[in-house]
């Protein structure tokens, strides 16, 4: 809430009138977030003007996609009249209650019409004017990002790409290509011999490591409790995270019973954000990237206060103390003795921790007592703390502290991930959709580049290939050569979302070919040579949003309009390119998009009260004939037409129903019969695999990681705030830690261009009142935020709810780089994240250092007053 307050304070809302009928409380925390009706540049008259709140006669409500990677996965519905959207709404399939939650959308979802029908949609295939096929000089690579564009036909576009793909694969081979598992062009590239891909720890940060080696489930999702159990806790700790801003949908509602029951909430992180405020949480401040120091102080104090559940540790864990070591231990050291200072002479006291993490000593001691063995506590972590350099010990230490309190496998207790749609509930999926039956072309090349080193590796001509984040296979440093000539941007925002934007521009300019399929002239398109316009999901046959979804709901969407202008689907593009290259197109895409969707519907199911999975949708022979698809009629819980019109099916819950779930209950009940997936079958507070693997990968000096969790300094981070890295001494050149909250205006960069959202959320940089005063910066001033990696401009939002020493630069703003001045004007986060990594090749977005100053150039105008990026090519 408080972050929103600053948005209000920055003054932009005063100019607005609010849209009648938009859901002001759609961000589930009831943040001030609202959909503003001001029509700045580019919102246009025409179709969109019809949504200004007036009455509508007639029209039909249909379900529509909200498909981007915000994690919300909400129901989105559109009132369509004469083929145009005139209203947007959300879940009306049933009345909302805690038992039967609606999956309501947020203002981003309700602005999707500005994606589909946006004036800035890419309409035709385009070619960068100076680029010519053939490589070398003909590419005029240095003009990428500043060239003019010309319209070309689909035939020309496919001919040009096919010719270049043949030339590049023929001359240099597949190792000259980087792509990222996109569904069309990248599928063709996989068939041509493959490409080097990217290993990115992205969302889950260091939890993208092999968590099973510690005894945790993959990424530590899935072993907290069902939401009906939250009220049984005395205390719920939220470590990092901000569901109110960045989970959307209904996840905050999972805690409503607990909130009403008076459960105490505690928020641990650098800002007292909207989520903390919603729960009236006690704030325990920590600097970004220093959670291990904080938790070590907590662990030490738990021992001092005698609140450790020794019995739990002895029975379910290895490595806490010398008497309980795993069989494969090579080092005669254990966690407890490390805490006591046996190996480095430094006991990890609250006082020791406080210097590093900035948490007051009394807060650390209070926290240790609060989460002790005599209390019912849910320790729920988000992943912001894991998206930090050198945070690789976070998962093991969080688990250790949970085990010290005995907080696993019991009602009212939990220890694990709370993120996106898993925030506040867990257990087996109760509703799901079926398999599409589509084919998958394997990329035969298994080498990958660590995302934070991507652009530098391209320039260096070599990279370290150590396995894939989110897999269970990691290996030792393995330096490979690569002379990259072709970059394919399809379905990911590589330029925007990968660290080191200034190096990205240089690396991209060294290519012979860059292709991009996109809806808009975003950073990927801007720096490409050939741009292919793709349909939005509103122009496709319908589908199910991927990514994580609520355990109780399956969401579906239908087609809103025919494809606009010359946009095509990824599959259509892939098939055209494949045909032109003489590849076996029918093998690669054996099914139509419609049949794939139909298969997903037929395969959809839900869990009935007896625990059986049964078909969800009733499909008749008439339906099958009408769709013109293959399939057998079936009986389900809901008729096809109703399912598609509702946009979802949600399982109705009740207190004490058969769908309840307590994480780790089976292991706690019988550890021998239900071992954890680690080498010892237990929670490994000493994990040999962890240390051996991390130390061998070559991103941190060998020996950095112990088999038990310790505090590891980050390359920048807390120590980087000080000259000579001496904490508490003189400030360094970059004396702040910058972190990147995921922001309400957009999902990553997607929707950053939507006029209503630009108007509603101005995208400031958050600066603490203390630091602002010290630098003479007032709320609303334009500031330059900079470090050794880059420089960006934003309007300051000066706030009391951010720890001094921290700067919050929202994630995902569309890069607007002024090459003459060497400064980005959009507040793009990856300007300040450099080619820095550690541990597992981690993308450590949240603990870079920076500085800021009042900007002496022209003040920024609000983003919503800037013209939209429209390329006029005829
Ligand atoms: N500095 C910094 N960087 C970060 C983060 C941070 O906090 N700070 N966060 C990180 C995190 S957690 C994540 S998950 C990543 C996300 O990084 P990405 O996954 O790269 O980001 P998205 O924008 O979701 O990428 C989707 C892209 O596909 C396009 N698209 C949408 N639909 C379609 C379609 O049907 N077909 C095609 N071809 N394209 C489509 C969208 O326009 C968009 O460009 O960013 C990471 N980067
Ligand atoms: N609106 C919107 N929603 C999104 C997205 C989006 O781009 N926009 N992206 C989606 C994706 S892919 C992801 S991964 C999620 C990310 O969702 P979250 O992980 O919740 O993301 P953040 O917004 O980075 O972090 C939230 C809070 O964590 C705290 N924090 C930051 N660094 C640290 C740290 O080092 N330690 C501790 N203890 N706290 C810290 C800060 O208080 C911050 O407000 O959001 C998803 N939802
Ligand atoms: S939270 Fe995400 S999925 Fe839900 S309506 Fe908003 S943008 Fe769409
Ligand atoms: Mo993410």
């Amino acid at each position: 809430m408080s972050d929103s307050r600053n948005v209000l304070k920055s003054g932009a809302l005063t100019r607005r009138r609010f849209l009648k009928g938009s859901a002001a409380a759609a961000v589930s925390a009831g943040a001030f977030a609202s959909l503003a009706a001001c029509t700045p540049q580019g919102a246009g008259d025409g179709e969109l003007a019809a949504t200004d709140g007036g009455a509508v006669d007639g029209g039909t409500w249909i379900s529509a996609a909200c498909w981007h990677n915000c994690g919300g996965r909400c129901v989105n519905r559109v009132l369509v009249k004469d083929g145009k959207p005139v209203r947007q709404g959300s879940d009306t399939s049933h009345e909302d209650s805690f038992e039967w939650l609606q999956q309501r959308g947020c203002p981003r979802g309700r602005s999707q019409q500005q994606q589909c029908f946006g004036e800035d949609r890419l309409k035709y295939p385009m070619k960068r004017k100076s680029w010519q096929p053939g490589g070398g000089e003909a590419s005029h690579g240095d003009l990428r990002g500043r060239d003019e564009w010309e319209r070309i036909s689909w035939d020309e576009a496919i001919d040009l790409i096919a010719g270049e793909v043949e030339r590049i694969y023929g001359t240099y081979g597949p190792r000259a290509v980087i792509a990222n598992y996109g569904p069309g062009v990248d599928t063709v590239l996989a068939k041509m011999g493959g490409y080097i891909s990217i290993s990115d720890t992205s969302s889950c940060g260091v939890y993208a490591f092999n968590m099973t080696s510690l005894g945790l489930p993959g990424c530590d999702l899935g072993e907290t409790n069902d939401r009906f159990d939250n009220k049984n806790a005395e205390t719920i700790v939220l470590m990092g995270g901000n569901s109110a801003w960045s989970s959307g949908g209904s996840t905050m509602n999972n805690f409503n019973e607990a909130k009403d029951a008076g459960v105490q909430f505690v928020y641990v992180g650098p800002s007292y954000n909207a989520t903390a405020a919603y729960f009236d949480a006690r704030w325990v401040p920590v600097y970004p990237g220093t959670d291990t120091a904080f938790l070590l102080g907590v662990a030490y104090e738990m021992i001092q206060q005698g609140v450790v559940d020794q019995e739990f540790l002895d029975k379910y864990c290895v490595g806490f103390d010398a008497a309980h070591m795993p069989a494969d231990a090579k080092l005669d050291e254990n966690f407890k003795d490390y805490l006591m200072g046996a190996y480095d002479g430094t006991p990890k006291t609250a006082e020791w921790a406080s210097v590093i993490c900035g948490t007051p000593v009394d807060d650390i001691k209070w926290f240790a007592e609060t989460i002790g063995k005599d209390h019912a506590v849910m320790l729920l972590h988000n992943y912001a703390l894991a998206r930090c350099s050198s945070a690789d010990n976070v998962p093991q230490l969080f688990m250790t502290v949970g085990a010290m309190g005995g907080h696993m496998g019991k009602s009212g207790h939990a220890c694990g991930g709370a993120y996106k749609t898993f925030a506040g509930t867990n257990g087996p999926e109760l509703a799901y959709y079926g398999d599409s039956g589509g084919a998958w072309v394997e990329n035969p090349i298994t080498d990958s580049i660590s995302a934070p080193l991507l652009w530098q590796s391209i320039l260096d001509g070599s990279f370290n290939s150590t396995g894939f984040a989110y897999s269970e296979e990691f290996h030792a440093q393995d330096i490979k050569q690569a002379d990259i000539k072709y970059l394919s941007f399809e379905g990911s925002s590589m330029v925007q979302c990968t660290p080191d934007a200034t190096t990205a521009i240089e690396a991209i300019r060294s290519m012979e070919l860059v292709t991009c399929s996109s809806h808009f002239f975003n950073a990927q398109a801007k720096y490409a040579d050939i741009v292919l316009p793709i349909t939005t999901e509103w122009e496709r046959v319908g589908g199910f949003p991927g990514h994580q979804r609520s355990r109780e709901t399956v969401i579906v969407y239908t087609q809103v309009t025919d494809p606009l202008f010359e946009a095509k689907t990824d599959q259509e593009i892939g098939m055209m390119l494949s045909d032109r290259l003489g590849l076996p197109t029918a093998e690669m895409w054996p099914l139509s998009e419609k049949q794939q969707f139909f298969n997903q519907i037929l395969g959809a199911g839900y869990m009935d009260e007896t625990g059986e999975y049964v078909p969800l949708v009733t499909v008749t022979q008439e339906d099958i004939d009408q769709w013109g698809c293959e399939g057998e009629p079936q009986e389900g819980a809901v008729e096809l037409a109703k399912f598609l019109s509702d946009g979802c099916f949600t399982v109705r819950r009740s207190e004490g129903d058969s769908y309840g779930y307590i994480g780790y209950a089976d292991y706690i009940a019988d550890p021998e019969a239900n071992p954890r997936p680690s080498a010892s079958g237990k929670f490994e507070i000493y994990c040999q695999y962890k240390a051996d693997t991390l130390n061998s990968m070559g991103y941190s000096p060998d020996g950095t990681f112990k088999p038990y969790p310790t505090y590891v300094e980050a390359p920048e981070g807390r120590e980087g705030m000080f000259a000579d890295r001496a904490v508490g001494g003189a400030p360094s050149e970059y004396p702040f830690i910058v972190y990147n909250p995921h922001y309400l205006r957009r999902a990553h960069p997607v929707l950053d261009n939507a006029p209503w959202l630009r108007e509603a959320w101005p995208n400031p940089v958050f600066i603490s009142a203390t630091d602002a005063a010290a630098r003479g910066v007032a709320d609303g001033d334009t500031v330059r935020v900079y470090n050794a990696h880059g420089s960006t401009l934003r309007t300051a939002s000066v706030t009391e709810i951010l720890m001094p020493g921290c700067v919050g630069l929202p994630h995902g703003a569309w890069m607007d780089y002024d090459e003459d001045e060497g400064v980005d004007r959009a507040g793009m986060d990856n300007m300040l994240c450099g080619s820095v990594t550690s541990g597992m090749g981690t993308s450590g977005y949240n603990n870079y250092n920076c500085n800021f100053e009042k900007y002496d150039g022209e003040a920024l105008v609000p983003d919503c007053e800037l013209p939209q990026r429209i390329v006029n090519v005829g």
Side-chain angles (χ1 to χ4, degrees):
M1 194 82 65
S2 28
D3 285 342
S4 307
R5 198 169 295 142
N6 287 293
V7 173
L8 283 173
K9 264 174 63 187
S10 76
L13 283 175
T14 55
R15 288 175 290 106
R16 295 179 198 141
R17 58 195 170 92
F18 288 87
L19 242 197
K20 267 193 226 149
S22 77
V27 171
S28 36
F32 300 108
S34 185
L35 199 58
C38 171
T39 44
Q41 298 271 358
D45 313 321
E47 300 99 322
L48 296 178
T51 56
D52 67 359
V56 178
D57 295 325
T60 313
W61 280 99
I62 62 168
S63 58
C66 197
W67 71 100
H68 298 297
N69 186 17
C70 63
R73 311 288 147 235
C74 317
V75 176
N76 201 4
R77 297 177 83 241
V78 187
L79 181 62
V80 179
K81 194 180 170 194
D82 304 326
K84 298 281 185 296
V86 289
R87 286 283 184 284
Q88 275 192 248
S90 188
D91 193 352
T92 54
S93 60
H94 58 272
E95 287 293 314
D96 187 52
S97 64
F98 186 77
E99 285 71 29
W100 209 9
L101 287 175
Q102 290 183 342
Q103 303 299 325
R104 287 191 204 156
C106 78
R108 290 185 301 284
R110 289 159 203 251
S111 305
Q112 283 288 5
Q113 57 189 285
Q114 294 195 320
Q115 285 242 293
C116 178
F117 294 97
E119 289 188 9
D120 55 343
R121 270 292 292 277
L122 292 174
K123 302 173 180 68
Y124 315 105
M126 306 191 300
K127 185 182 91 60
R128 188 166 66 78
K129 264 192 183 157
S130 311
W131 177 87
Q132 295 299 331
E137 291 292 302
S139 313
H140 292 286
D142 59 319
L143 291 178
R144 288 195 180 98
R146 46 189 170 196
D147 208 345
E148 291 179 1
W149 292 86
E150 62 193 16
R151 179 176 170 182
I152 54 175
S153 68
W154 271 109
D155 269 351
E156 286 172 285
I158 297 296
D159 273 346
L160 280 171
I161 299 175
E164 283 293 271
V165 164
E166 271 176 334
R167 181 183 69 79
I168 289 168
Y169 276 80
T171 315
Y172 310 109
R175 292 175 160 277
V177 181
I178 289 180
N180 206 19
Y181 299 96
V185 174
D186 290 2
T187 304
V188 171
L189 300 182
K191 198 72 181 173
M192 287 294 294
Y195 49 80
I196 292 173
S197 57
I198 297 155
S199 167
D200 195 348
T201 58
S202 62
S203 307
C204 294
V206 296
Y207 280 92
F209 191 61
N210 183 357
M211 287 298 105
T212 57
S213 69
L214 300 173
L216 294 173
C219 296
D220 198 23
L221 286 166
E223 292 290 354
T224 55
N225 304 351
D226 172 56
R227 63 193 178 90
F228 279 74
D229 194 53
N230 292 339
K231 61 179 169 300
N232 298 322
E234 283 166 60
T235 299
I236 296 181
V237 174
L238 302 173
M239 189 107 178
N242 189 5
S243 293
W245 274 26
S246 53
S247 255
S250 306
T251 60
M252 298 284 283
N253 292 336
N254 291 332
F255 295 104
N256 280 350
E257 274 194 341
K259 189 170 178 260
D260 293 345
V263 172
Q264 164 179 246
F265 284 80
V266 180
Y267 187 80
V268 184
S271 73
Y272 193 72
N273 60 27
T275 307
Y278 177 73
F279 291 123
D280 198 14
R282 172 165 171 158
W283 182 21
V284 175
V286 296
Y287 288 117
T290 66
D291 297 82
T292 45
F294 169 71
L295 289 172
L296 287 168
V298 168
Y300 180 93
E301 292 301 329
M302 286 176 81
I303 295 174
Q304 298 306 307
Q305 295 179 26
V307 296
V308 174
D309 189 340
Q310 191 63 44
E311 219 177 297
F312 187 98
L313 291 170
D314 294 351
K315 189 165 176 191
Y316 299 109
C317 307
V318 290
F320 181 76
D321 53 32
H324 300 88
M325 295 300 284
D328 64 354
K330 294 187 219 161
L331 186 68
D332 185 18
E333 292 184 7
N334 63 79
F335 178 67
K336 190 174 178 189
D337 286 338
Y338 165 74
L339 273 186
M340 295 303 143
Y343 313 126
D344 57 4
T346 307
K348 308 302 174 298
T349 61
E351 288 76 9
W352 167 85
S354 175
V355 171
I356 300 169
C357 64
T359 315
V361 168
D362 285 349
D363 281 354
I364 298 175
K365 291 184 174 172
W366 172 84
F367 190 88
E369 196 281 321
T370 302
I371 67 158
K373 68 178 164 113
D374 299 325
H375 300 295
V377 181
M378 293 187 173
L379 291 169
L380 306 180
H381 70 80
N382 198 275
Y383 294 85
L385 59 157
R387 295 196 294 272
C388 291
S389 285
S390 298
D392 302 68
N393 281 317
V394 161
Q396 193 183 25
L397 183 52
F398 193 84
M399 175 190 86
T400 300
V401 169
M404 288 172 75
H407 300 308
M408 287 132 166
K410 294 178 254 183
S411 168
H413 301 248
C415 178
Y419 165 76
K420 287 189 176 176
T421 42
F422 294 94
T425 194
N426 258 309
E429 220 167 23
L430 303 182
Y432 55 90
Y433 59 86
D435 187 63
S436 71
W440 171 253
V441 179
E442 204 63 55
N443 172 18
I445 295 186
T446 53
D447 287 343
S448 62
I449 305 181
S450 269
L453 302 181
L454 171 66
W455 306 116
Q456 193 57 51
S457 298
I458 291 176
L459 292 179
D460 292 347
S462 69
F463 64 99
N464 184 9
S465 187
T466 50
F468 286 94
Y470 297 94
S471 75
E472 291 189 358
E473 282 171 34
F474 298 96
H475 35 259
Q477 174 168 314
D478 187 5
I479 304 293
K480 309 241 170 171
Q481 304 308 308
D483 188 6
I484 305 297
K485 304 289 185 191
Y486 171 25
L487 277 171
S488 163
F489 297 141
E490 192 190 47
S492 65
S493 303
M494 239 186 261
V495 183
Q496 281 282 159
C497 289
T498 311
D500 212 347
T502 49
T503 305
I505 295 172
E506 207 185 326
I508 291 167
R509 286 185 174 154
S510 71
M511 294 295 109
E512 293 188 353
L513 174 68
V514 182
T515 59
C516 174
S517 48
S518 189
H519 302 126
F520 302 103
F521 197 59
N522 58 18
Q524 285 67 237
K526 189 173 167 183
Y527 286 89
D529 301 319
I530 297 176
V531 174
L532 307 173
I534 44 159
T535 54
T536 64
E537 290 295 333
W538 283 27
E539 299 148 81
R540 299 185 184 177
V541 288
F544 293 81
H547 300 283
Q548 298 102 336
R549 52 200 178 273
S550 156
R551 114 177 242 241
E552 290 159 34
T553 300
V554 61
I555 289 170
V556 65
Y557 54 83
T558 55
Q559 184 161 7
V560 176
T561 173
D562 287 333
L564 298 175
F565 301 97
E566 290 188 5
K568 290 191 186 295
T569 68
D570 295 294
Q571 177 162 333
E572 286 171 327
I573 295 169
M575 291 172 84
M576 287 193 299
L577 187 58
S578 168
D579 280 346
R580 198 68 53 97
L581 286 163
L583 299 172
T585 307
E587 238 173 65
M588 293 158 68
W589 287 279
L591 299 178
S592 71
E593 291 175 69
K594 196 169 188 186
Q595 182 68 52
Q596 291 178 49
F597 180 33
F598 202 60
N599 289 348
Q600 290 177 311
I601 296 170
L602 286 170
Y606 74 103
M607 190 190 277
D608 68 15
E609 293 83 3
T610 69
E612 288 289 307
Y613 284 121
V614 291
L616 175 61
V617 189
T618 297
V619 178
T620 62
Q621 186 59 49
E622 209 183 329
D623 292 328
I624 295 169
D625 296 342
Q626 210 177 26
W627 278 62
C629 286
E630 307 272 313
E632 295 295 323
Q634 64 180 33
E635 278 292 315
V638 54
E639 284 178 4
L640 179 59
K642 179 169 166 46
F643 178 55
L644 295 179
S645 152
D646 282 351
C648 68
F649 173 85
T650 302
V651 173
R652 188 176 200 155
R653 300 290 312 278
S654 61
E655 184 70 40
D657 65 14
S658 57
Y659 303 128
Y661 184 78
I662 303 291
Y664 298 120
D666 58 346
Y667 175 60
I668 299 306
D670 189 345
E672 274 74 41
N674 305 297
R676 297 306 307 160
S678 59
S680 63
K682 299 190 175 192
F683 294 122
E684 297 211 345
I685 296 171
Y686 179 113
C687 177
Q688 196 61 54
Y689 168 92
K690 182 206 83 172
D692 290 351
T693 310
L694 289 177
N695 286 329
S696 73
M697 291 175 85
Y699 302 110
S700 292
D702 193 14
T704 297
F705 294 96
K706 297 281 189 182
Y708 50 88
T710 64
Y711 175 68
V712 174
E713 289 187 15
E716 299 194 11
R718 175 67 173 146
E719 291 75 17
M721 295 166 78
F722 299 93
D724 304 323
R725 299 180 61 83
V727 176
S732 72
E733 208 178 336
Y734 308 115
F736 299 96
I737 301 180
V738 55
Y739 73 98
N740 302 145
H742 287 220
Y743 191 53
L744 288 160
R745 185 199 280 179
R746 52 195 176 241
H748 309 288
V750 177
L751 285 160
D752 193 46
N753 57 322
W756 290 339
L757 298 171
R758 294 205 137 205
E759 180 67 3
W761 290 300
N763 191 37
V765 60
F766 298 103
I767 290 171
S768 95
T770 314
D771 296 330
R775 279 174 162 60
V777 168
D779 195 80
D781 283 350
T782 299
V783 290
R784 188 172 79 92
V785 191
Y786 61 97
N787 61 16
H789 313 298
S791 168
T792 189
L793 301 182
R794 272 300 85 190
T795 303
S797 176
V798 175
T799 169
E800 298 282 355
I801 53 86
L802 181 59
M803 281 176 86
C806 301
V807 168
L809 183 69
H811 165 56
W814 277 21
M815 178 162 74
D816 181 13
Y817 191 54
D818 179 335
E819 296 199 19
D820 298 331
E821 214 188 317
V823 68
D824 163 67
R825 307 183 68 82
M828 192 235 199
D829 48 352
N830 280 309
M831 277 287 153
L832 302 185
C833 301
S835 296
V836 173
T837 194
S838 55
M840 65 170 294
T842 308
S843 293
Y845 320 111
N846 283 338
N847 61 342
Y848 282 91
N849 293 125
C850 76
N851 205 340
F852 70 88
E853 65 185 7
K854 194 167 165 176
Y855 182 56
D856 55 12
E858 206 177 315
L860 289 176
V861 297
D863 294 349
C864 64
E865 289 173 14
L866 296 170
Q868 286 196 295
R869 266 190 219 172
I870 297 176
V871 189
N872 284 316
V873 287

